[in-house]
Amino acid sequence: MKTAIVLALLATGICWAQPPADCKPSSLNIPGAPYPCVFPDHHAMFRVAAPNAQAVKVRVGAGFDMTKEADGLWYATTTPLVEGFHYYMLTIDGASVSDPATQTFFGSGAWSSAIEIPAADADFYSHKDVPHGVVRDQWYFSTVTQQWRRCMIYTPPDYDTNKKVSYPVLYLLHGWGENELGWTFQGHVDQIMDNLIAAGKAKPMIIVMDNLNAVKPGEDGTIYNARGVLTQAVPQPQPPMGAPPAAPPSGPGGQRPAGAAAPARPMFRLSTTFTEMMFTDLIPMVEKSYRVAPARENRAMAGLSMGGMQTFTTGLEHLDKFAYLGGFSGNCGGFGGGAFDAKTTCNGAFADAAAFNKQVKVLFLSTGSVEGPRVRQFSDELTQAGIKNVYFESPGTAHEWLSWRRALADFAPRLFR
Amino acid sequence: MKTAIVLALLATGICWAQPPADCKPSSLNIPGAPYPCVFPDHHAMFRVAAPNAQAVKVRVGAGFDMTKEADGLWYATTTPLVEGFHYYMLTIDGASVSDPATQTFFGSGAWSSAIEIPAADADFYSHKDVPHGVVRDQWYFSTVTQQWRRCMIYTPPDYDTNKKVSYPVLYLLHGWGENELGWTFQGHVDQIMDNLIAAGKAKPMIIVMDNLNAVKPGEDGTIYNARGVLTQAVPQPQPPMGAPPAAPPSGPGGQRPAGAAAPARPMFRLSTTFTEMMFTDLIPMVEKSYRVAPARENRAMAGLSMGGMQTFTTGLEHLDKFAYLGGFSGNCGGFGGGAFDAKTTCNGAFADAAAFNKQVKVLFLSTGSVEGPRVRQFSDELTQAGIKNVYFESPGTAHEWLSWRRALADFAPRLFR
């Protein structure tokens, strides 16, 4: 941007009206932005400048029409929102865009706005006066995908000082439409772990947060998001267990540009390329670059939603590599209906309960209570089949980041014992 | 976001038409997004879905009206753009928003879209097969601002293995309306340094990239950006040398919401609070947490635009702390007109040339050639006053990140020799 433009921006020093006193700016707003704000009862109030627009909507879970008020700005107050982190988008005369008043986060395949409804238990993911680890941007070249990739790596507070100690590693995945930044920016992985470690509740560990998307050169990738943007994966004739059924193109972002063909029923399978990349490139890079304790007893894998599905896809087929598996609102079963059958469910991974229990130190399943009973049912079915597992339910939360922050806080203390 | 919504998004698998074969997607697009794209002659083509909008514009330097084509989407092709990284925004029926097709970057006080026009010399900031350092998210509590702050810290490739080596430190600042992430995401600081170090051109060093904004509790902050968002600083009666003159509220983002009062002429001073915070909190944290070589000979400070101004404000008053100073398109003089007078310019820091030259090992000034001659003139005036300095000019670039990437690549090899 040219100097003249910067100067012009500097010159437009406008002080907007403040929101009602009990409506507190969301912690995800850019510095100084008064809106969106949250009332104590969790109604949220949004505002946007769209001087010539005919219709403006905010889509935060449900859609709320905004109204142009006397000051020329558009406002909406929502119904009460559940606690936690919500992605949201604006629709301005049909255009789906993020709100310039908030930080953006990669979710649903685009950089989306977000609002944080303060949780009663927010302390566990807040900055506190405890020793701090760091998250590192670690780039590496993948021979499988033939691309430079970035993963984020959390190292615990004592990593730089205890120079002779090697640490166990948790490989932790994001969900559909997100990327390797999710656990840091949306998840607060560093605060959660710093606090757990300081309290003596979790062992110091390295956490590797990679990108779920891995496609070889020439490999077809055919899942596009609502904006026509490729987000994930590879087609195959049948969706696996755990893949959600197709839904009609509706809901947020479901509008289709005029002239675009109706989509074929989308299908995806979890990526075997990711698994190959993980074993060929990622794990060797981590074990070469960091002080990592060897062997499967020091290696865990977990993920949220599609990342949980990927964890079970990768992990159940490679139990020689992982002693701990976690699926936060996503795993290898329990979403597709169909009766549980230990011989066939999840490709028969649970057929020999005694062997499985001997090998897997923790099999962890979690969900938000608002997501419904399916993960609990799957956990019960596993238990009935003799498979030891841990079920965690986040009270009052949806298929969203507060469920997954809480899941991590419950899962991490169980690792590497 | 609820499962049902995710499923609905998954179901909308739309394959948009591809751009002309010689229009290559910008490297800053989200994965798979075909637009914006760049032609070999540096025209760029933008597209956005805004089904019910009356008028859509893309503002990338200049503004370009978009046209609704037969497919119902809005398109614009720009005039040729200069090489490098450009922030841009869309205007949709008067609303200033980012383009959902690109990654967003914090610039001009909001998370903005950006497009990269490939530079002929892009190699120097590209990923190459060389040893890699990492950038770390380092949080710390500031006793001065009474807030948790994040800085980004680059550690060189050998930092984790050469455990007995201490490293010199460069404190490197972003510009107005940006934040501590700028040098990593917009600047490619890690690739630039990895490549320089691998080539033996720069000494391995730690680079600390903090946030220029530092306000004490109760301290008034009165610079707002075009969206009414506080971005920086503290008022005072007179702008210092180096502060740009006020410009009328026009240009990108210059529109004022109806009903908002006309802004008073904005003024800012560079933050003495930042300086205080830096010496009280930041430097001690860095020197406690990292293996840092002691003394001023191992400490440099630089910044771009307002970050360059802050560097000179902080550095010239504390030459006991810094042996190297760099101002990339921003420094303590040369922008305000007025004759150069060694006794008064920059508060008289250059009054005793011999003493200054003895103390300051490198005084570095740079600009993009498109920015005009003022930095060169200031450098010439300093030279005439007997002040040794280095002038670097980035050919064909504006007040933008390619100028600053190149400035860093020229500056870093001069440090700690």
Side-chain angles (χ1 to χ4, degrees):
Chain A
M1 187 172 294
K2 293 183 181 172
T3 309
I5 295 171
V6 173
L7 304 189
L9 285 167
L10 272 172
T12 56
I14 301 158
C15 187
W16 281 5
Q18 294 300 306
D22 57 344
C23 197
K24 302 298 179 199
S26 162
S27 60
L28 308 181
N29 293 1
I30 60 174
Y35 293 89
C37 62
V38 183
F39 290 99
D41 63 359
H42 295 179
H43 290 78
M45 195 170 170
F46 293 81
R47 183 176 67 178
V48 62
N52 311 318
Q54 301 303 303
V56 182
K57 197 177 276 195
V58 57
R59 305 193 318 269
V60 52
F64 298 91
D65 291 328
M66 302 186 79
T67 308
K68 198 173 190 174
E69 300 293 351
D71 61 3
L73 304 173
W74 295 79
Y75 290 81
T77 301
T78 66
T79 50
L81 303 174
V82 300
E83 288 184 347
F85 176 103
H86 309 291
Y87 293 115
Y88 76 93
M89 294 290 279
L90 303 173
T91 307
I92 299 177
D93 284 353
S96 180
V97 293
S98 59
D99 180 349
T102 84
Q103 182 174 350
T104 56
F105 301 85
F106 198 65
S108 301
W111 290 84
S112 302
S113 291
I115 184 171
E116 185 86 40
I117 308 299
D121 60 348
D123 200 50
F124 82 91
Y125 59 83
S126 300
H127 284 289
K128 293 162 78 171
D129 187 16
V130 298
H132 289 282
V134 293
V135 175
R136 308 171 185 218
D137 295 28
Q138 178 73 53
W139 287 87
Y140 65 104
F141 186 79
S142 166
T143 59
V144 170
T145 69
Q146 290 292 313
Q147 287 183 316
W148 285 96
R149 296 174 60 89
R150 177 178 58 190
C151 65
M152 310 298 283
I153 299 193
Y154 169 82
T155 52
D158 49 1
Y159 185 84
D160 280 339
T161 49
N162 289 355
K163 287 170 190 157
K164 289 183 179 166
V165 178
S166 291
Y167 295 86
V169 183
L170 165 61
Y171 291 84
L172 186 61
L173 288 173
H174 59 82
W176 173 85
E178 299 176 331
N179 68 12
E180 70 275 17
L181 300 173
W183 271 107
T184 304
F185 289 90
Q186 290 96 306
H188 295 296
V189 64
D190 43 351
Q191 284 91 63
I192 292 171
M193 294 307 302
D194 290 346
N195 293 337
L196 287 173
I197 293 168
K201 291 181 182 166
K203 290 191 110 173
M205 66 185 80
I206 292 170
I207 301 184
V208 176
M209 298 158 281
D210 204 76
N211 191 312
L212 188 46
N213 296 281
V215 179
K216 293 182 189 185
E219 199 173 22
D220 189 18
T222 53
I223 297 299
Y224 297 83
N225 79 353
R227 293 179 201 90
V229 174
L230 172 66
T231 57
Q232 175 68 11
V234 175
Q236 69 168 19
Q238 294 300 323
M241 254 207 97
S250 62
Q255 65 281 1
R256 197 159 61 238
R265 181 176 181 277
M267 292 174 289
F268 69 94
R269 67 179 164 92
L270 296 160
S271 172
T272 55
T273 301
F274 179 83
T275 303
E276 182 183 346
M277 188 286 302
M278 188 173 179
F279 291 129
T280 308
D281 299 314
L282 176 63
I283 293 178
M285 180 280 291
V286 169
E287 301 197 343
K288 188 182 152 201
S289 309
Y290 293 83
R291 298 197 310 281
V292 169
R296 64 184 291 283
E297 287 70 25
N298 292 306
R299 206 182 287 128
M301 185 172 180
L304 70 92
S305 192
M306 185 184 270
M309 299 179 197
Q310 181 71 55
T311 294
F312 279 68
T313 296
T314 301
L316 291 178
E317 290 179 2
H318 297 89
L319 289 178
D320 57 316
K321 299 283 201 305
F322 303 97
Y324 302 85
L325 295 177
F328 308 163
S329 308
N331 52 66
C332 68
F335 285 119
F340 180 88
D341 179 343
K343 289 196 183 60
T344 56
T345 293
C346 305
N347 293 324
F350 306 118
D352 184 343
F356 186 92
N357 291 339
K358 197 173 167 195
Q359 212 168 5
V360 177
K361 293 195 162 195
V362 175
L363 180 72
F364 182 92
L365 304 170
S366 75
T367 195
S369 68
V370 176
E371 296 186 71
R374 289 178 298 186
V375 174
R376 181 199 293 269
Q377 287 164 0
F378 184 57
S379 166
D380 289 345
E381 289 165 338
L382 287 171
T383 302
Q384 283 159 26
I387 300 290
K388 281 194 220 156
N389 70 92
V390 174
Y391 173 74
F392 171 76
E393 188 173 298
S394 165
T397 60
H399 195 74
E400 291 187 319
W401 276 97
L402 184 53
S403 297
W404 306 322
R405 293 175 191 159
R406 288 176 177 164
L408 176 64
D410 193 87
F411 179 59
R414 303 175 187 277
L415 298 178
F416 313 124
R417 298 292 179 183
Chain B
M1 186 173 293
K2 292 183 180 171
T3 309
I5 295 171
V6 173
L7 304 189
L9 285 166
L10 273 173
T12 56
I14 301 158
C15 186
W16 281 6
Q18 294 301 305
D22 58 343
C23 197
K24 302 297 179 199
S26 162
S27 61
L28 308 181
N29 292 1
I30 59 174
Y35 294 90
C37 62
V38 183
F39 289 99
D41 64 358
H42 294 178
H43 290 77
M45 196 170 170
F46 292 82
R47 184 176 66 179
V48 63
N52 311 319
Q54 302 302 304
V56 182
K57 198 177 276 195
V58 56
R59 304 192 320 269
V60 52
F64 298 90
D65 290 329
M66 303 186 80
T67 307
K68 198 173 189 174
E69 301 293 351
D71 62 2
L73 304 173
W74 295 79
Y75 290 82
T77 301
T78 66
T79 50
L81 303 174
V82 300
E83 288 184 346
F85 175 103
H86 309 291
Y87 293 115
Y88 76 93
M89 294 290 279
L90 303 172
T91 307
I92 299 177
D93 284 352
S96 180
V97 293
S98 59
D99 180 350
T102 85
Q103 182 174 350
T104 56
F105 301 86
F106 198 65
S108 300
W111 289 85
S112 301
S113 290
I115 184 171
E116 185 87 40
I117 308 299
D121 60 348
D123 200 50
F124 83 90
Y125 59 83
S126 300
H127 285 289
K128 294 163 77 171
D129 187 16
V130 298
H132 289 282
V134 293
V135 174
R136 308 172 184 217
D137 295 29
Q138 179 72 54
W139 287 87
Y140 65 104
F141 186 79
S142 166
T143 59
V144 171
T145 69
Q146 290 292 312
Q147 286 183 316
W148 284 96
R149 294 174 61 88
R150 178 178 57 189
C151 66
M152 309 300 283
I153 299 193
Y154 169 82
T155 51
D158 49 2
Y159 185 83
D160 280 338
T161 49
N162 289 356
K163 286 170 191 158
K164 288 183 180 165
V165 178
S166 291
Y167 295 86
V169 183
L170 165 61
Y171 291 84
L172 186 61
L173 288 173
H174 60 82
W176 174 84
E178 298 175 333
N179 69 12
E180 70 276 15
L181 300 174
W183 271 106
T184 303
F185 289 90
Q186 290 95 306
H188 295 297
V189 65
D190 42 352
Q191 284 91 63
I192 292 171
M193 294 306 301
D194 290 346
N195 292 338
L196 287 172
I197 292 167
K201 291 181 182 165
K203 291 190 111 174
M205 65 185 79
I206 292 170
I207 302 184
V208 176
M209 297 157 283
D210 204 76
N211 192 312
L212 189 45
N213 297 281
V215 179
K216 293 183 189 184
E219 198 173 23
D220 190 17
T222 53
I223 297 298
Y224 297 83
N225 79 353
R227 295 180 199 89
V229 174
L230 171 66
T231 56
Q232 176 67 13
V234 176
Q236 68 168 22
Q238 293 300 324
M241 254 208 96
S250 62
Q255 65 282 1
R256 198 159 61 238
R265 181 175 181 279
M267 291 174 288
F268 68 94
R269 66 178 164 93
L270 295 159
S271 173
T272 55
T273 301
F274 179 83
T275 303
E276 183 183 347
M277 187 287 301
M278 187 173 180
F279 291 130
T280 307
D281 299 314
L282 176 62
I283 293 178
M285 180 280 290
V286 169
E287 301 197 344
K288 187 183 153 203
S289 308
Y290 292 84
R291 297 197 310 280
V292 169
R296 64 184 292 282
E297 287 72 23
N298 293 306
R299 206 181 287 127
M301 185 171 179
L304 70 92
S305 193
M306 185 184 271
M309 300 179 194
Q310 182 70 55
T311 294
F312 280 68
T313 297
T314 301
L316 292 177
E317 289 179 2
H318 297 89
L319 290 178
D320 58 316
K321 299 283 202 303
F322 302 98
Y324 302 85
L325 296 178
F328 309 163
S329 308
N331 52 66
C332 67
F335 286 119
F340 180 88
D341 180 343
K343 289 197 182 60
T344 56
T345 293
C346 304
N347 293 323
F350 306 118
D352 184 342
F356 186 91
N357 292 339
K358 197 173 166 195
Q359 211 169 7
V360 178
K361 294 196 161 196
V362 174
L363 181 72
F364 181 92
L365 305 169
S366 76
T367 194
S369 69
V370 177
E371 296 187 70
R374 290 177 298 185
V375 173
R376 181 200 293 271
Q377 288 164 1
F378 183 57
S379 167
D380 289 344
E381 289 166 339
L382 286 171
T383 302
Q384 283 160 26
I387 300 290
K388 281 196 220 154
N389 68 93
V390 175
Y391 173 73
F392 170 77
E393 188 172 298
S394 164
T397 60
H399 196 74
E400 291 187 319
W401 275 95
L402 184 53
S403 297
W404 306 322
R405 292 175 192 159
R406 288 176 176 164
L408 176 64
D410 194 88
F411 179 59
R414 303 174 187 277
L415 298 178
F416 314 124
R417 297 292 179 182

